[in-house]
Structures are given as structure tokens and as C-alpha cells.
Amino acid sequence: MHGRRSANEAIKEASRGLRGGIAEGLRDHITGAIADEDTQLTKFHGIYQQDDRDLRAERTKKKMEKAFSFMARVRIPGGVLTPQQWIGLHDIAAERGNGTLRLTTRQTVQFHGVIKSNLQPALRGIHAALLDTIAACGDVNRNVIASVVPQRPALHADITALARSLSEHLLPRTRAWHEIWVDGEKLIGDDAEEEPILGHTYLPRKFKIAIAVPPQNDTDVFAHEIGLIAIVEAGAIVGYDVAVGGGMGMTHGEPDTYPRTGDVIGFCPRDRVLDVCEKIVTIQRDWGDRADRKHARLKYTIERVGLDRFVAELHTRLDYELSPPRPYAFERTGDPVGWVQGEDGTAHHFLFVENGRVGGAMLDGLRAIAAVHEGRFILTPNQNLVIADVAAGARTEIDALLHRLGLAQASALRRNAMACVALPTCGLALAESERFLPGLITLLEEEAARHGLAEDEIIVRMTGCPNGCARPYLAEIGLVGTGPGRYNLYLGAAFDGTRLSKLYQRDLGEAGIIAALAPLFAAYARERTPRERFGDFVIRTGRIRATTAGRDFHAEL
Ligand code: SRM
Ligand code: SF4
């Protein structure tokens, strides 16, 4: 539908099933990098070339190559791991990465600082742990995320199975990943494998699916191309309400880019959900913008053609219609923290991991837990970790090991805060995030305590740029980097993830952020109605106007 195509389209087309020159590049020991075009292709293999931005200036001065290394992201649908898999990932981080594991907002693990010569051994280690990194990045369907509700075992088993089958079903069919990283390079002809769903140029852009089980909206189900809201009747999932066209990313100063919450378009019974998702993917494959990558996500396709036309096309491709949506009610996006008792008598410990970074004593301590734990490890979309399925007899031992981690009790604010990675590894960061938020939270905790809000849960999220990796536009307090030490402050999103925020103040430094929030905390403590959430309060009292749709996000700037 578009004459012009972005450069990435040609790279994908010529890649022989995402192989490109990756294998050759790995053998080139003169540089720590790989060829530019191949850096686009490795993304489909879950691998990003990065450089240590803390060292950039010094190395440029010394006329040295940038300090290149790679980030590798594992594919873990629903975030569920065995303890043995956790140990496998731990060992890779210790031996091949920078000694940390980074839990992400999409329930996976990232390794940072993997130098080129360690890349293949790291990926072989991931394969040996019965995992892979296929399609963890790139213009494909990404890791499918699902609510973390092990305390409701039947429902959790159901959505975990769905997350896995959706992920498998939508994977690229190319064998390139196994050939390049595991089996060793094979001589292949020009005929790459058929890609019946994705097509030979794959999707126009990344594509994301999330599953939520109300009242828990931990997956931020309205922030993804497809959001599946489980409808539970008589204790079982009968099907899903389907939301389409959510997304977070935007670019500062470009109002035709914006975050958008998905629209619920109908209900589909559980046996048809794979088909519905596949058809939505194919519409985006065929209708998505392949000329301008800034407008290539499904949210822009839907804005361009209109929701009605999109739904009509979906019904045509399905050859049946979705039925009207069924009622559901969300309550929260955050994780419970601490022990949670399951319906079947097993217990689950939701461990708060600040900004998802597992290193030092926590890394060692979790390995010790994995060595004795007989249940599962579950990564959450809030960058936390659940030691799941702890039998009654094992709880004392796990508790003792958790105690040894020496973790201080996190405040209500800190438990509900998330930051994206940003500096030093993220090439797109305009400001700090993961390294900056903990200190800011300490200042905000003091402010909250001053107004008697120490026990109040308020969702705070920070990102180092407007791409929105920690979903900041769905946080009651969102901070988005604009330049070194500067952040735009967004307010007014709903605690249950159903409403976006709006810009409140621009380009604030640390002191400016505190100065902006202190009077709001004071007013909230004084004037709120019973159980009123902070995000709702700032709207009711006229501090900010509610956003009604994605396009409205920049209105009244
Ligand atoms: Fe993200 C790009 C980190 C979740 C929107 N994201 C990046 C890159 C790969 C930077 C790059 O392209 O060079 C970051 C790597 C940093 C590093 O050093 O590790 C990065 N994104 C992350 C993670 C690790 C943040 C975290 O702290 O947890 C999350 C990994 C998820 C995963 O495991 O798959 C992560 N990214 C998200 C989310 C949240 C989500 O998916 O629920 C979003 C917003 C939702 C959305 O996609 O709309 C998100 N990331 C982006 C974007 C903007 C995309 C857009 O179309 O608007 C980019 C930039 C891009 O794609 O061009 C990006
Ligand atoms: Fe990097 Fe921006 Fe994503 Fe943060 S939000 S990880 S700075 S791309």
C-alpha cells in the first residue's frame, strides 16, 4: 500500500531468513562490533549491539573503538521458569555477561555486557537451559506476557499454556537462530524457509500480546497490540475480551506519535483465540506502514483506517464475528509483595526486585533458593520475581534463605515503582532511569511520609526517553527523560491501568520534580475522598484533564 519502503524492509528481504552476514561477523576478531545491517537482523535473534555510554567520551578522545558489547533477551512466555533454568541463566550472567540478570517489563531476562566472543557460548547456554532468544526483539511478535496469578492455579495454568502456544504459533519459521548460535553455520541456498504468517519481510514493526486475569492488570493489558482479558465463569476461563491497538512509544516534539490504550472490540471463546490473534497479525502485516517506522505500529494502522474498518476486515478474515464484550473489572497493575496463599494450599513469595536488576547478594541468594526450590520461578511484568508453588513443608527453608538476602522492607511507593534500563547500555536514552529512580524515590518517600502518605500505593514509573519501556504513560506519576538530568512529568493515569496520563510539567530536574509533587501530595492527603487514588484525585480536582484517547494525549500542551 506504500510505494516507498524503509531501509529495514530491504535488509529483511535480502536476509535469507534473517541470516544476513551474522555468522561471518562473529568470526571477525578485529572489531568488537558486527556489520551495521546485521545489527538490525540480530534483533530478530533477541540480540542488540550496544556500547558502554559511560566510556564513550574517553574512548573517542583516545581514538579507540566504542566499548561494544551485546544485550541478549530471552523468550519466556508468561515468565515461567524452572529453578534449573534460573540456575542456567544465573551461570550465563556470571560467566558471559556483566554479572547481573535484568528482569524486564515483559517478563523476561536480559543479559548485558556480553562481548562478541562470549555471545555464542551465552546463547548455547540458553539453549542448554531449554530456552531461546528467538523473536525477543525485532519486527515480530514479542514475548507474550500473562498475569502472574499462581494463587489461582487452574487459571494460571490456562493462561501460561495460551502464552506459550501464541508465542510458538507466531514465531518466525526460519532455522537461522539454531544454525547461527547452536548447531554451527550451515551452507544454505538462497531459498529461505516459507513464513506463512509473518511473510518474507516479517512484520512492519514489533508486535506485542498480553493476557490479563481481572481483577489483576499486571500486564497493562491496554498497552499492547493485542490485549486478552480473561473472562472467568464458574472458576474457569470461557474466553477473552479482545483489545487492539495499544502502545506506549512516542517521540518528543512529534505530536503525530503518541501512546494509545487499546480498544475492546469483542469477546472470543477460548478455542478461537489463536485464530483471532493470527488474523490480527496478518492484517497488521498487510496494512501496517512499511515506509515510516515511526508510524508502523498497529495503533497507527487502526487510527489511519478507523476501528470499524479494522474490525470488519478481522471478521472477514475470520469468517465469523466476535460477540459483544463481556463485563470485567480491573483493580490494580502492581504486584502483591510478600507471601500469598494459593487456593490449593501452596504458597508463593512475590519478591520485590528494584527495577528488575538482580546482582550481587541477590544473585547469589536466588541461586541458593533455586538449588533447593521444587516449584517454579515466575517473572512478573512489574520486573519482580515470584518464588512460586512452595509446599507447606518447604516454606520455613525458603523463608530462611530469603531472610539471608538481607532485603529491607520496601515502602509502598518503592514497591510500585519501575524504571527502564536507560544508561549506560541503552543507545536511545536521553537521561538516566534505572540508576536515578532509587534516589528520587527516597526523596519522594520523605515527602509522602511528611503528609501521612507513607502507606499509600501510588504508581511511579520512569523512562530515560519517550519510547515508554516501563509504560510510564500508564503510571499515576510518570517521568520521561528529555535530556541529561531532565524529565517531563505526566500525571493522571488510572491505578488499574485503564487510562493514560497527560503532561503536567516539562524538563524538571530532581528538585523540580519534588517541588512539583510536594504540594500535590499535601493536597491529596488533605482533600481526597475515601479510597480515592492519586491519579483520579489530580483529575477530579482539576490539576490535569483526563485523556480520552491516544490522539488526545498531546492536546492542550
Ligand atoms: Fe523497550 C527499544 C528496553 C519494554 C517500547 N527497549 C528498547 C531498547 C532495545 C533500545 C534500542 O532499541 O536500542 C532498550 C534496551 C535497553 C537495554 O540496555 O537493555 C529497551 N524495553 C526495554 C526493557 C528491557 C525495559 C525494562 O527496563 O524492562 C523492556 C524489555 C521488554 C522485553 O523483555 O521484551 C522493554 N519497550 C518495552 C515496553 C513495555 C512493554 O512492552 O510492555 C515498551 C512500550 C510498549 C510499546 O511497545 O509500545 C517499549 N522499546 C520501546 C520502543 C518504542 C517502540 C514504539 O514503537 O513506539 C523502543 C524503540 C524502538 O522500537 O524503536 C524500545
Ligand atoms: Fe532505552 Fe528509552 Fe527504553 Fe528507557 S525507554 S530502555 S531509555 S529506549
Side-chain angles (χ1 to χ4, degrees):
M1 79 186 320
H2 298 276
R4 222 164 34 83
R5 293 190 315 165
S6 73
N8 287 55
E9 293 299 315
I11 296 174
K12 289 185 272 183
E13 191 162 47
S15 71
R16 295 174 301 121
L18 303 174
R19 291 169 176 89
I22 299 173
E24 257 170 24
L26 290 177
R27 287 194 297 267
D28 177 356
H29 302 299
I30 309 259
T31 164
I34 55 174
D36 274 356
E37 292 201 345
D38 291 332
T39 62
Q40 296 305 319
L41 295 175
T42 57
K43 294 181 187 180
F44 292 77
H45 300 238
I47 295 162
Y48 261 76
Q49 179 172 301
Q50 303 183 318
D51 73 287
D52 186 335
R53 293 181 58 183
D54 286 347
L55 303 179
R56 256 191 209 173
E58 192 195 325
R59 291 178 72 97
T60 311
K61 210 159 66 196
K62 292 186 180 155
K63 297 199 164 51
M64 290 168 79
E65 178 174 274
K66 286 178 184 165
F68 288 114
S69 67
F70 294 82
M71 176 271 274
R73 188 183 283 167
V74 187
R75 180 176 67 94
I76 312 174
V80 177
L81 292 170
T82 63
Q84 291 69 33
Q85 287 175 321
W86 179 271
I87 290 174
L89 297 179
H90 168 282
D91 293 350
I92 295 163
E95 290 160 23
R96 306 290 180 184
N98 69 354
T100 71
L101 285 171
R102 180 56 157 74
L103 315 188
T104 76
T105 53
R106 290 195 77 75
Q107 286 181 301
T108 79
V109 164
Q110 282 186 183
F111 301 98
H112 288 109
V114 184
I115 56 169
K116 193 159 92 174
S117 55
N118 273 331
L119 205 44
Q120 199 172 36
L123 268 84
R124 286 196 172 147
I126 292 169
H127 185 251
L130 305 181
L131 294 164
D132 61 60
T133 63
I134 305 172
C137 319
D139 299 343
V140 278
N141 178 51
R142 301 295 189 86
N143 196 44
V144 178
I145 62 175
S147 279
V148 181
V149 286
Q151 63 276 28
R152 304 171 78 184
L155 304 186
H156 192 240
D158 214 356
I159 58 167
T160 304
L162 176 60
R164 286 186 176 144
S165 48
L166 274 169
S167 180
E168 292 289 325
H169 186 65
L170 298 170
L171 276 186
R173 301 285 195 262
T174 169
R175 293 252 327 140
W177 189 89
H178 287 90
E179 284 172 18
I180 296 172
W181 307 106
V182 184
D183 303 338
E185 193 189 359
K186 286 207 185 98
L187 279 181
I188 53 142
D190 283 339
D191 300 331
E193 299 85 342
E194 287 293 314
E195 293 285 359
I197 300 177
L198 302 172
H200 71 292
T201 47
Y202 305 88
L203 299 180
R205 202 69 162 79
K206 57 176 72 166
F207 191 99
K208 298 181 173 181
I209 303 180
I211 307 167
V213 179
Q216 184 62 307
N217 189 14
D218 51 349
T219 52
D220 271 316
V221 78
F222 301 108
H224 313 266
E225 261 74 13
I226 302 179
L228 299 170
I229 303 163
I231 303 298
V232 180
E233 284 171 15
I237 297 174
V238 293
Y240 296 86
D241 276 356
V242 180
V244 292
M248 290 283 102
M250 62 156 194
T251 307
H252 289 310
E254 294 187 20
D256 59 344
T257 66
Y258 42 84
R260 183 180 192 278
T261 42
D263 296 299
V264 177
I265 56 169
F267 169 86
C268 89
R270 46 177 293 157
D271 57 333
R272 289 188 156 170
V273 69
L274 220 61
D275 189 28
V276 169
C277 291
E278 180 191 306
K279 297 300 183 296
I280 294 172
V281 166
T282 65
I283 299 178
Q284 168 62 0
R285 176 198 67 199
D286 300 340
W287 288 10
D289 188 336
R290 289 185 186 260
D292 180 356
R293 290 180 66 77
K294 281 196 175 165
H295 292 111
R297 300 289 297 271
L298 179 66
K299 61 182 175 181
Y300 300 118
T301 308
I302 289 178
E303 289 285 342
R304 175 163 45 82
V305 303
L307 189 64
D308 290 349
R309 191 166 155 225
F310 180 84
V311 174
E313 177 69 15
L314 177 61
H315 289 165
T316 306
R317 290 192 190 205
L318 287 171
D319 213 15
Y320 54 83
E321 296 199 355
L322 300 178
S323 46
R326 304 215 181 155
Y328 60 84
F330 286 121
E331 280 172 14
R332 56 186 296 125
T333 57
D335 290 335
V337 169
W339 286 101
V340 171
Q341 194 64 34
E343 289 167 352
D344 59 351
T346 59
H348 316 279
H349 188 91
F350 283 70
L351 180 69
F352 168 65
V353 181
E354 190 156 32
N355 301 327
R357 185 67 71 175
V358 182
M362 190 186 256
L363 192 71
D364 298 339
L366 286 173
R367 195 186 195 288
I369 291 176
V372 299
H373 181 41
E374 289 176 355
R376 295 171 298 169
F377 276 48
I378 310 177
L379 312 170
T380 85
N382 285 300
Q383 304 171 326
N384 293 323
L385 177 67
V386 186
I387 320 291
D389 314 325
V390 180
R395 186 158 159 177
T396 317
E397 185 182 20
I398 299 286
D399 240 345
L401 288 168
L402 281 167
H403 226 77
R404 276 211 248 148
L405 297 180
L407 301 172
Q409 180 78 31
S411 69
L413 264 186
R414 198 175 297 272
R415 287 200 309 269
N416 286 291
M418 287 206 285
C420 72
V421 178
L423 294 162
T425 51
C426 178
L428 305 177
L430 304 171
E432 294 281 353
S433 185
E434 181 186 320
R435 298 193 293 197
F436 180 73
L437 188 63
L440 181 73
I441 293 286
T442 305
L443 299 176
L444 286 175
E445 281 168 348
E446 288 165 14
E447 214 47 64
R450 214 188 313 283
H451 301 293
L453 300 176
E455 303 301 321
D456 283 79
E457 292 191 295
I458 300 175
I459 311 285
V460 184
R461 296 178 184 170
M462 169 174 277
T463 55
C465 86
N467 282 322
C469 296
R471 301 185 289 267
Y473 315 111
L474 284 166
E476 292 176 291
I477 298 174
L479 290 155
V480 176
T482 55
R486 300 279 144 201
Y487 300 86
N488 280 354
L489 171 60
Y490 295 84
L491 297 177
F495 186 78
D496 65 1
T498 53
R499 181 183 64 236
L500 290 172
S501 56
K502 274 187 97 66
L503 181 63
Y504 181 65
Q505 283 188 29
R506 283 178 193 280
D507 292 322
L508 302 174
E510 185 176 71
I513 295 168
I514 303 296
L517 289 173
L520 294 176
F521 280 6
Y524 177 55
R526 231 178 19 240
E527 299 164 26
R528 64 177 157 176
T529 58
R531 287 189 299 281
E532 187 174 30
R533 292 291 177 185
F534 183 72
D536 300 334
F537 170 81
V538 291
I539 290 175
R540 179 179 63 80
T541 55
R543 263 92 182 175
I544 199 119
R545 186 169 64 76
T547 300
T548 51
R551 276 191 185 282
D552 180 55
F553 186 75
H554 298 291
E556 279 183 27
L557 273 188

